Amino acid sequence: MKLKSLLLVGGALLSGTAASAGGFQVSLAGIKNNGMGGVGTGLALDQASMFYNPGALAMVRERGVQIGANATFARQAFRAENGTEDRTLRNSVVTPFSLFAGFGPAEGKWKAGIAVYTPFGSKLQYADGWEGRFSLTDIDLKSIFVQPTISYAITENLSVGVGVAVLALGSVNLQRDVPTTNGQGQSGHVELDGKAENKVGFNAGVYFKPSEKLSVGVSYRSKIDATVKGGDVTFSNLPEAAKPSFQATEFDVTIPLPATASIGIGIMPTEKLTLAIDVNHVQWSKYRALNFKFNNNVGGAGITSSTSKRYYQDALTFRLGGQYALTEAFTVRAGGTYDMSPVKDGYVSPETPDANRIGGTLGVSYKAGEHFSVDVSTQFISIMKRTQTQAELQDNGTTDRVPGTYKTSIVIPGIGFNYTF
């Protein structure tokens, strides 16, 4: 490849890197909530209220500790524009987890707790040799939040709460091929790997239960900018002629983790039946572009930065769920979701091949004794088929990604263990 072409492609290659998009938000905190479509803002089910609405924690009667884990099994197909072959992901499993521990006097007005959860994350591994390999081959984005929480019941019907949401661990790993080959016929490759700095935000909420049959909640979780400074840049398999154009060894980048405002309503028609509705408003519009800075050349002499357009839009998620106590030991749950994509037409990228989503959930709990219970849930999410054309990419100036059609389905089983005291 001529040097000029190599430089241009290299610049586009790195500007197209992104570790974020609409689909990387994770709402899998609390296995009971997972079985009910992810509702929880207007309910005071258990210690997982710290995630959904800290204001409801004071209304949770029992103190307790719960730990839960999920496994995500994704199947994605991609067909390039004018292509005839479907490309699928290599198999990978992601395991979001959560831990909640709530304390306080059994009959007192306050409760306190600590929550650990994974509100953002993504892992995709595309097939070897796929058409978009010069945009992305692998992405692994992780975040772990720790949230100390305090909640206080102002009256018998009204409580408030706030938590300090700490980004305790964040990391990103991006890989892609470079459009050149070395003397052994190997494709050039680049890997960006870094850890985010610790950042602090907050999560606050209000819970109101005017009667035994109705409850209402609102909550707000603030935006946090995940910043990586001095991440590692590693090039491999480059021919000798191209190496002077790819000398960077470190990168800086900031990835916005957007704020979320939620409102929820709980309805208890009978003592055994609970129904709930949640609406989440995620402020993705803060994500305008992904900007990288490098400490040396990344595609040519003096090219040490890149920008990739995002122009996301705010998005809503609608959730509906319920539970029914079959016996004193068994409770069953079901729910559904409709999740609107923040990604506009012509801005879909391989790291987040996003589209509107429809989900269905099921769950069951078994109370094994006075203090111990087990929760199981499963979710099926269908990310609708989405096509973007080369003409759309050219119109939007987003030719750093690949035209074609994406279709993704995800199955997410989960299990949780609870101990109350």
Side-chain angles (χ1 to χ4, degrees):
M1 177 177 288
K2 293 181 179 179
L3 180 59
K4 182 178 180 180
S5 299
L6 185 60
L7 300 183
L8 292 173
V9 172
L13 167 72
L14 291 166
S15 67
T17 302
S20 62
F24 77 93
Q25 188 178 36
V26 179
S27 296
L28 293 170
I31 302 300
K32 291 187 181 71
N33 305 80
N34 294 349
M36 301 169 64
V39 297
T41 309
L43 300 176
L45 282 180
D46 56 20
Q47 290 73 32
S49 295
M50 282 181 264
F51 174 80
Y52 293 94
N53 182 354
L57 180 64
M59 297 296 189
V60 177
R61 294 181 180 178
E62 295 176 316
R63 297 157 293 183
V65 177
Q66 63 173 272
I67 185 170
N70 299 271
T72 66
F73 300 90
R75 176 174 175 77
Q76 182 189 77
F78 172 82
R79 176 169 291 188
E81 188 177 37
N82 302 320
T84 58
E85 183 180 359
D86 283 347
R87 303 287 191 177
T88 58
L89 291 174
R90 286 172 277 154
N91 292 328
S92 62
V93 180
V94 182
T95 55
F97 69 93
S98 60
L99 183 149
F100 301 97
F103 309 93
E107 303 298 330
K109 286 194 169 186
W110 64 272
K111 288 286 193 307
I114 186 83
V116 181
Y117 50 83
T118 55
F120 299 95
S122 179
K123 185 174 183 178
L124 295 171
Q125 296 177 306
Y126 283 90
D128 293 335
W130 85 291
E131 289 81 354
R133 62 187 182 278
F134 301 131
S135 294
L136 184 76
T137 58
D138 300 76
I139 178 173
D140 190 357
L141 173 67
K142 297 185 177 75
S143 71
I144 298 176
F145 278 51
V146 177
Q147 181 187 309
T149 305
I150 185 74
S151 184
Y152 183 77
I154 299 172
T155 70
E156 291 183 353
N157 307 102
L158 177 66
S159 58
V160 297
V162 64
V164 179
V166 180
L167 175 58
L169 177 63
S171 65
V172 59
N173 182 282
L174 296 169
Q175 299 183 48
R176 63 177 64 181
D177 286 346
V178 177
T180 185
T181 55
N182 60 17
Q184 291 72 47
Q186 298 169 314
S187 296
H189 195 75
V190 60
E191 178 177 0
L192 308 182
D193 186 82
K195 296 187 182 303
E197 298 177 337
N198 298 129
K199 292 288 184 69
V200 177
F202 69 93
N203 185 11
V206 179
Y207 178 79
F208 180 52
K209 189 171 184 178
S211 74
E212 291 299 317
K213 295 184 181 296
L214 179 67
S215 58
V216 180
V218 294
S219 68
Y220 180 81
R221 187 165 52 252
S222 70
K223 170 176 174 282
I224 289 180
D225 286 331
T227 300
V228 176
K229 291 186 177 180
D232 296 328
V233 180
T234 304
F235 292 101
S236 58
N237 301 335
L238 293 175
E240 290 298 325
K243 287 183 179 179
S245 298
F246 299 93
Q247 292 291 310
T249 57
E250 294 184 354
F251 73 95
D252 298 339
V253 68
T254 296
I255 303 168
L257 308 180
T260 300
S262 301
I263 183 170
I265 300 174
I267 303 171
M268 287 63 75
T270 69
E271 186 175 342
K272 293 184 176 182
L273 178 63
T274 297
L275 303 174
I277 301 171
D278 272 24
V279 179
N280 312 129
H281 177 261
V282 186
Q283 298 177 8
W284 284 110
S285 59
K286 302 294 184 184
Y287 191 19
R288 306 293 293 172
L290 187 64
N291 301 311
F292 282 89
K293 293 183 179 179
F294 300 90
N295 68 339
N296 209 327
N297 298 337
V298 288
I303 300 177
T304 58
S305 64
S306 66
T307 297
S308 181
K309 296 178 182 177
R310 291 298 179 267
Y311 293 116
Y312 278 17
Q313 56 192 353
D314 291 349
L316 294 171
T317 302
F318 301 91
R319 305 180 185 277
L320 172 67
Q323 67 175 14
Y324 185 80
L326 288 175
T327 68
E328 290 188 1
F330 283 99
T331 299
V332 294
R333 302 182 177 89
T337 62
Y338 181 73
D339 193 355
M340 301 172 66
S341 173
V343 183
K344 301 176 184 177
D345 291 341
Y347 289 86
V348 177
S349 56
E351 67 271 14
T352 307
D354 208 35
N356 295 338
R357 304 170 177 215
I358 296 176
T361 70
L362 293 172
V364 62
S365 288
Y366 174 68
K367 192 170 184 177
E370 183 179 358
H371 299 290
F372 182 72
S373 63
V374 179
D375 305 315
V376 176
S377 69
T378 187
Q379 299 190 32
F380 175 79
I381 298 173
S382 174
I383 303 177
M384 297 180 181
K385 182 183 292 185
R386 189 161 194 182
T387 299
Q388 67 179 3
T389 65
Q390 183 65 31
E392 289 175 327
L393 298 179
Q394 290 174 340
D395 288 344
N396 293 313
T398 52
T399 52
D400 54 0
R401 53 211 82 180
V402 60
T405 300
Y406 294 92
K407 179 68 180 76
T408 306
S409 300
I410 309 171
V411 177
I412 312 172
I415 187 169
F417 303 95
N418 303 271
Y419 182 80
T420 58
F421 54 93

